[in-house]
mmCIF file with all atom_site columns, all heavy atoms in Angstrom:
data_model
loop_
_atom_site.group_PDB
_atom_site.id
_atom_site.type_symbol
_atom_site.label_atom_id
_atom_site.label_alt_id
_atom_site.label_comp_id
_atom_site.label_asym_id
_atom_site.label_entity_id
_atom_site.label_seq_id
_atom_site.pdbx_PDB_ins_code
_atom_site.Cartn_x
_atom_site.Cartn_y
_atom_site.Cartn_z
_atom_site.occupancy
_atom_site.B_iso_or_equiv
_atom_site.pdbx_formal_charge
_atom_site.auth_seq_id
_atom_site.auth_comp_id
_atom_site.auth_asym_id
_atom_site.auth_atom_id
_atom_site.pdbx_PDB_model_num
ATOM 1   N N   . MET A 1 1   ? 0.062   -4.244  -27.621 1.00 65.00 ? 1   MET A N   1
ATOM 2   C CA  . MET A 1 1   ? 0.498   -2.954  -27.101 1.00 65.00 ? 1   MET A CA  1
ATOM 3   C C   . MET A 1 1   ? 1.921   -2.681  -27.570 1.00 65.00 ? 1   MET A C   1
ATOM 4   O O   . MET A 1 1   ? 2.751   -3.579  -27.597 1.00 65.00 ? 1   MET A O   1
ATOM 5   C CB  . MET A 1 1   ? 0.422   -2.981  -25.572 1.00 65.00 ? 1   MET A CB  1
ATOM 6   C CG  . MET A 1 1   ? 0.787   -1.678  -24.918 1.00 65.00 ? 1   MET A CG  1
ATOM 7   S SD  . MET A 1 1   ? -0.246  -0.321  -25.428 1.00 65.00 ? 1   MET A SD  1
ATOM 8   C CE  . MET A 1 1   ? -0.831  0.289   -23.906 1.00 65.00 ? 1   MET A CE  1
ATOM 9   N N   . PHE A 1 7   ? 2.410   4.179   -23.494 1.00 90.00 ? 7   PHE A N   1
ATOM 10  C CA  . PHE A 1 7   ? 2.660   3.066   -22.578 1.00 90.00 ? 7   PHE A CA  1
ATOM 11  C C   . PHE A 1 7   ? 3.309   3.565   -21.289 1.00 90.00 ? 7   PHE A C   1
ATOM 12  O O   . PHE A 1 7   ? 2.887   3.209   -20.188 1.00 90.00 ? 7   PHE A O   1
ATOM 13  C CB  . PHE A 1 7   ? 3.557   2.018   -23.253 1.00 90.00 ? 7   PHE A CB  1
ATOM 14  C CG  . PHE A 1 7   ? 4.183   1.049   -22.293 1.00 90.00 ? 7   PHE A CG  1
ATOM 15  C CD1 . PHE A 1 7   ? 3.437   0.027   -21.735 1.00 90.00 ? 7   PHE A CD1 1
ATOM 16  C CD2 . PHE A 1 7   ? 5.511   1.169   -21.928 1.00 90.00 ? 7   PHE A CD2 1
ATOM 17  C CE1 . PHE A 1 7   ? 4.007   -0.867  -20.842 1.00 90.00 ? 7   PHE A CE1 1
ATOM 18  C CE2 . PHE A 1 7   ? 6.091   0.285   -21.038 1.00 90.00 ? 7   PHE A CE2 1
ATOM 19  C CZ  . PHE A 1 7   ? 5.338   -0.737  -20.495 1.00 90.00 ? 7   PHE A CZ  1
ATOM 20  N N   . GLY A 1 17  ? -2.028  6.383   -9.214  1.00 86.00 ? 17  GLY A N   1
ATOM 21  C CA  . GLY A 1 17  ? -3.324  5.963   -8.672  1.00 86.00 ? 17  GLY A CA  1
ATOM 22  C C   . GLY A 1 17  ? -3.187  4.857   -7.633  1.00 86.00 ? 17  GLY A C   1
ATOM 23  O O   . GLY A 1 17  ? -3.824  4.910   -6.571  1.00 86.00 ? 17  GLY A O   1
ATOM 24  N N   . VAL A 1 25  ? -0.757  5.777   4.149   1.00 89.00 ? 25  VAL A N   1
ATOM 25  C CA  . VAL A 1 25  ? -0.225  4.935   5.219   1.00 89.00 ? 25  VAL A CA  1
ATOM 26  C C   . VAL A 1 25  ? 1.181   5.397   5.593   1.00 89.00 ? 25  VAL A C   1
ATOM 27  O O   . VAL A 1 25  ? 1.558   5.360   6.768   1.00 89.00 ? 25  VAL A O   1
ATOM 28  C CB  . VAL A 1 25  ? -0.241  3.441   4.807   1.00 89.00 ? 25  VAL A CB  1
ATOM 29  C CG1 . VAL A 1 25  ? 0.463   2.580   5.834   1.00 89.00 ? 25  VAL A CG1 1
ATOM 30  C CG2 . VAL A 1 25  ? -1.677  2.970   4.636   1.00 89.00 ? 25  VAL A CG2 1
ATOM 31  N N   . MET A 1 36  ? 12.174  9.081   12.704  1.00 89.00 ? 36  MET A N   1
ATOM 32  C CA  . MET A 1 36  ? 12.575  8.090   11.709  1.00 89.00 ? 36  MET A CA  1
ATOM 33  C C   . MET A 1 36  ? 13.775  8.575   10.895  1.00 89.00 ? 36  MET A C   1
ATOM 34  O O   . MET A 1 36  ? 13.814  9.700   10.431  1.00 89.00 ? 36  MET A O   1
ATOM 35  C CB  . MET A 1 36  ? 11.383  7.833   10.778  1.00 89.00 ? 36  MET A CB  1
ATOM 36  C CG  . MET A 1 36  ? 11.500  6.630   9.915   1.00 89.00 ? 36  MET A CG  1
ATOM 37  S SD  . MET A 1 36  ? 10.047  6.445   8.848   1.00 89.00 ? 36  MET A SD  1
ATOM 38  C CE  . MET A 1 36  ? 8.761   6.065   10.020  1.00 89.00 ? 36  MET A CE  1
ATOM 39  N N   . MET A 1 41  ? 13.234  5.223   6.341   1.00 96.00 ? 41  MET A N   1
ATOM 40  C CA  . MET A 1 41  ? 12.240  5.750   5.409   1.00 96.00 ? 41  MET A CA  1
ATOM 41  C C   . MET A 1 41  ? 12.391  5.079   4.040   1.00 96.00 ? 41  MET A C   1
ATOM 42  O O   . MET A 1 41  ? 11.398  4.687   3.423   1.00 96.00 ? 41  MET A O   1
ATOM 43  C CB  . MET A 1 41  ? 12.388  7.271   5.286   1.00 96.00 ? 41  MET A CB  1
ATOM 44  C CG  . MET A 1 41  ? 12.016  8.010   6.560   1.00 96.00 ? 41  MET A CG  1
ATOM 45  S SD  . MET A 1 41  ? 12.513  9.742   6.542   1.00 96.00 ? 41  MET A SD  1
ATOM 46  C CE  . MET A 1 41  ? 11.380  10.401  5.342   1.00 96.00 ? 41  MET A CE  1
ATOM 47  N N   . MET A 1 57  ? 2.169   -8.007  -11.161 1.00 94.00 ? 57  MET A N   1
ATOM 48  C CA  . MET A 1 57  ? 2.799   -9.155  -11.819 1.00 94.00 ? 57  MET A CA  1
ATOM 49  C C   . MET A 1 57  ? 2.080   -10.460 -11.444 1.00 94.00 ? 57  MET A C   1
ATOM 50  O O   . MET A 1 57  ? 1.857   -11.321 -12.301 1.00 94.00 ? 57  MET A O   1
ATOM 51  C CB  . MET A 1 57  ? 4.283   -9.250  -11.460 1.00 94.00 ? 57  MET A CB  1
ATOM 52  C CG  . MET A 1 57  ? 5.149   -8.237  -12.175 1.00 94.00 ? 57  MET A CG  1
ATOM 53  S SD  . MET A 1 57  ? 4.949   -8.199  -13.978 1.00 94.00 ? 57  MET A SD  1
ATOM 54  C CE  . MET A 1 57  ? 5.389   -9.866  -14.456 1.00 94.00 ? 57  MET A CE  1
ATOM 55  N N   . PHE A 1 76  ? -12.995 -10.869 -2.783  1.00 76.00 ? 76  PHE A N   1
ATOM 56  C CA  . PHE A 1 76  ? -12.574 -10.805 -1.380  1.00 76.00 ? 76  PHE A CA  1
ATOM 57  C C   . PHE A 1 76  ? -11.569 -9.691  -1.104  1.00 76.00 ? 76  PHE A C   1
ATOM 58  O O   . PHE A 1 76  ? -11.282 -9.393  0.050   1.00 76.00 ? 76  PHE A O   1
ATOM 59  C CB  . PHE A 1 76  ? -11.969 -12.152 -0.942  1.00 76.00 ? 76  PHE A CB  1
ATOM 60  C CG  . PHE A 1 76  ? -12.961 -13.264 -0.951  1.00 76.00 ? 76  PHE A CG  1
ATOM 61  C CD1 . PHE A 1 76  ? -12.975 -14.188 -1.989  1.00 76.00 ? 76  PHE A CD1 1
ATOM 62  C CD2 . PHE A 1 76  ? -13.904 -13.395 0.058   1.00 76.00 ? 76  PHE A CD2 1
ATOM 63  C CE1 . PHE A 1 76  ? -13.898 -15.220 -2.011  1.00 76.00 ? 76  PHE A CE1 1
ATOM 64  C CE2 . PHE A 1 76  ? -14.828 -14.416 0.043   1.00 76.00 ? 76  PHE A CE2 1
ATOM 65  C CZ  . PHE A 1 76  ? -14.829 -15.336 -0.990  1.00 76.00 ? 76  PHE A CZ  1
ATOM 66  N N   . ILE A 1 77  ? -11.019 -9.066  -2.150  1.00 72.00 ? 77  ILE A N   1
ATOM 67  C CA  . ILE A 1 77  ? -9.984  -8.050  -1.969  1.00 72.00 ? 77  ILE A CA  1
ATOM 68  C C   . ILE A 1 77  ? -10.432 -6.914  -1.046  1.00 72.00 ? 77  ILE A C   1
ATOM 69  O O   . ILE A 1 77  ? -9.713  -6.561  -0.106  1.00 72.00 ? 77  ILE A O   1
ATOM 70  C CB  . ILE A 1 77  ? -9.489  -7.526  -3.335  1.00 72.00 ? 77  ILE A CB  1
ATOM 71  C CG1 . ILE A 1 77  ? -8.655  -8.619  -4.019  1.00 72.00 ? 77  ILE A CG1 1
ATOM 72  C CG2 . ILE A 1 77  ? -8.689  -6.240  -3.194  1.00 72.00 ? 77  ILE A CG2 1
ATOM 73  C CD1 . ILE A 1 77  ? -8.230  -8.298  -5.426  1.00 72.00 ? 77  ILE A CD1 1
ATOM 74  N N   . ALA A 1 83  ? -10.121 -5.591  6.699   1.00 84.00 ? 83  ALA A N   1
ATOM 75  C CA  . ALA A 1 83  ? -9.756  -6.296  7.934   1.00 84.00 ? 83  ALA A CA  1
ATOM 76  C C   . ALA A 1 83  ? -8.340  -5.952  8.379   1.00 84.00 ? 83  ALA A C   1
ATOM 77  O O   . ALA A 1 83  ? -8.102  -5.648  9.558   1.00 84.00 ? 83  ALA A O   1
ATOM 78  C CB  . ALA A 1 83  ? -9.908  -7.805  7.739   1.00 84.00 ? 83  ALA A CB  1
ATOM 79  N N   . LYS A 1 91  ? -5.463  -0.816  16.446  1.00 78.00 ? 91  LYS A N   1
ATOM 80  C CA  . LYS A 1 91  ? -4.407  -1.010  17.452  1.00 78.00 ? 91  LYS A CA  1
ATOM 81  C C   . LYS A 1 91  ? -3.725  0.316   17.775  1.00 78.00 ? 91  LYS A C   1
ATOM 82  O O   . LYS A 1 91  ? -3.458  0.627   18.937  1.00 78.00 ? 91  LYS A O   1
ATOM 83  C CB  . LYS A 1 91  ? -3.397  -2.028  16.917  1.00 78.00 ? 91  LYS A CB  1
ATOM 84  C CG  . LYS A 1 91  ? -2.362  -2.439  17.917  1.00 78.00 ? 91  LYS A CG  1
ATOM 85  C CD  . LYS A 1 91  ? -1.483  -3.545  17.355  1.00 78.00 ? 91  LYS A CD  1
ATOM 86  C CE  . LYS A 1 91  ? -0.356  -3.821  18.316  1.00 78.00 ? 91  LYS A CE  1
ATOM 87  N NZ  . LYS A 1 91  ? 0.875   -4.196  17.686  1.00 78.00 ? 91  LYS A NZ  1
ATOM 88  N N   . VAL A 1 107 ? 7.686   2.184   22.224  1.00 39.00 ? 107 VAL A N   1
ATOM 89  C CA  . VAL A 1 107 ? 8.213   1.067   21.447  1.00 39.00 ? 107 VAL A CA  1
ATOM 90  C C   . VAL A 1 107 ? 7.088   0.309   20.762  1.00 39.00 ? 107 VAL A C   1
ATOM 91  O O   . VAL A 1 107 ? 7.185   -0.074  19.604  1.00 39.00 ? 107 VAL A O   1
ATOM 92  C CB  . VAL A 1 107 ? 9.037   0.120   22.358  1.00 39.00 ? 107 VAL A CB  1
ATOM 93  C CG1 . VAL A 1 107 ? 9.398   -1.148  21.625  1.00 39.00 ? 107 VAL A CG1 1
ATOM 94  C CG2 . VAL A 1 107 ? 10.293  0.828   22.844  1.00 39.00 ? 107 VAL A CG2 1
ATOM 95  N N   . ILE A 1 118 ? 2.103   -6.422  6.613   1.00 91.00 ? 118 ILE A N   1
ATOM 96  C CA  . ILE A 1 118 ? 0.634   -6.417  6.534   1.00 91.00 ? 118 ILE A CA  1
ATOM 97  C C   . ILE A 1 118 ? 0.152   -5.163  5.817   1.00 91.00 ? 118 ILE A C   1
ATOM 98  O O   . ILE A 1 118 ? -0.729  -5.215  4.957   1.00 91.00 ? 118 ILE A O   1
ATOM 99  C CB  . ILE A 1 118 ? 0.006   -6.529  7.942   1.00 91.00 ? 118 ILE A CB  1
ATOM 100 C CG1 . ILE A 1 118 ? 0.294   -7.913  8.534   1.00 91.00 ? 118 ILE A CG1 1
ATOM 101 C CG2 . ILE A 1 118 ? -1.499  -6.276  7.898   1.00 91.00 ? 118 ILE A CG2 1
ATOM 102 C CD1 . ILE A 1 118 ? -0.043  -8.036  10.002  1.00 91.00 ? 118 ILE A CD1 1
ATOM 103 N N   . THR A 1 123 ? -2.288  -2.325  1.348   1.00 87.00 ? 123 THR A N   1
ATOM 104 C CA  . THR A 1 123 ? -2.334  -1.155  0.466   1.00 87.00 ? 123 THR A CA  1
ATOM 105 C C   . THR A 1 123 ? -2.115  -1.503  -1.000  1.00 87.00 ? 123 THR A C   1
ATOM 106 O O   . THR A 1 123 ? -2.371  -0.672  -1.875  1.00 87.00 ? 123 THR A O   1
ATOM 107 C CB  . THR A 1 123 ? -1.291  -0.095  0.882   1.00 87.00 ? 123 THR A CB  1
ATOM 108 O OG1 . THR A 1 123 ? 0.015   -0.690  0.853   1.00 87.00 ? 123 THR A OG1 1
ATOM 109 C CG2 . THR A 1 123 ? -1.596  0.459   2.258   1.00 87.00 ? 123 THR A CG2 1
ATOM 110 N N   . ALA A 1 135 ? -3.088  -7.308  -19.116 1.00 81.00 ? 135 ALA A N   1
ATOM 111 C CA  . ALA A 1 135 ? -3.117  -8.693  -19.606 1.00 81.00 ? 135 ALA A CA  1
ATOM 112 C C   . ALA A 1 135 ? -2.667  -8.825  -21.061 1.00 81.00 ? 135 ALA A C   1
ATOM 113 O O   . ALA A 1 135 ? -2.110  -9.848  -21.448 1.00 81.00 ? 135 ALA A O   1
ATOM 114 C CB  . ALA A 1 135 ? -4.518  -9.277  -19.450 1.00 81.00 ? 135 ALA A CB  1
ATOM 115 N N   . LEU A 1 143 ? 6.611   -6.448  -16.941 1.00 96.00 ? 143 LEU A N   1
ATOM 116 C CA  . LEU A 1 143 ? 7.680   -6.184  -15.968 1.00 96.00 ? 143 LEU A CA  1
ATOM 117 C C   . LEU A 1 143 ? 8.043   -4.704  -15.927 1.00 96.00 ? 143 LEU A C   1
ATOM 118 O O   . LEU A 1 143 ? 8.182   -4.119  -14.847 1.00 96.00 ? 143 LEU A O   1
ATOM 119 C CB  . LEU A 1 143 ? 8.922   -7.011  -16.315 1.00 96.00 ? 143 LEU A CB  1
ATOM 120 C CG  . LEU A 1 143 ? 8.918   -8.464  -15.872 1.00 96.00 ? 143 LEU A CG  1
ATOM 121 C CD1 . LEU A 1 143 ? 10.079  -9.215  -16.500 1.00 96.00 ? 143 LEU A CD1 1
ATOM 122 C CD2 . LEU A 1 143 ? 8.972   -8.567  -14.363 1.00 96.00 ? 143 LEU A CD2 1
ATOM 123 N N   . VAL A 1 144 ? 8.179   -4.092  -17.096 1.00 96.00 ? 144 VAL A N   1
ATOM 124 C CA  . VAL A 1 144 ? 8.532   -2.667  -17.156 1.00 96.00 ? 144 VAL A CA  1
ATOM 125 C C   . VAL A 1 144 ? 7.419   -1.819  -16.545 1.00 96.00 ? 144 VAL A C   1
ATOM 126 O O   . VAL A 1 144 ? 7.686   -0.899  -15.758 1.00 96.00 ? 144 VAL A O   1
ATOM 127 C CB  . VAL A 1 144 ? 8.837   -2.232  -18.605 1.00 96.00 ? 144 VAL A CB  1
ATOM 128 C CG1 . VAL A 1 144 ? 8.960   -0.716  -18.718 1.00 96.00 ? 144 VAL A CG1 1
ATOM 129 C CG2 . VAL A 1 144 ? 10.110  -2.914  -19.099 1.00 96.00 ? 144 VAL A CG2 1
ATOM 130 N N   . GLY A 1 179 ? -2.647  8.871   13.034  1.00 71.00 ? 179 GLY A N   1
ATOM 131 C CA  . GLY A 1 179 ? -2.206  7.795   12.148  1.00 71.00 ? 179 GLY A CA  1
ATOM 132 C C   . GLY A 1 179 ? -3.173  6.631   12.126  1.00 71.00 ? 179 GLY A C   1
ATOM 133 O O   . GLY A 1 179 ? -3.495  6.085   11.066  1.00 71.00 ? 179 GLY A O   1
#
Side-chain angles (χ1 to χ4, degrees):
M1 183 59 125
F7 164 76
V25 173
M36 194 181 292
M41 292 168 70
M57 284 308 300
F76 295 102
I77 288 174
K91 187 175 173 214
V107 171
I118 292 169
T123 58
L143 279 170
V144 170

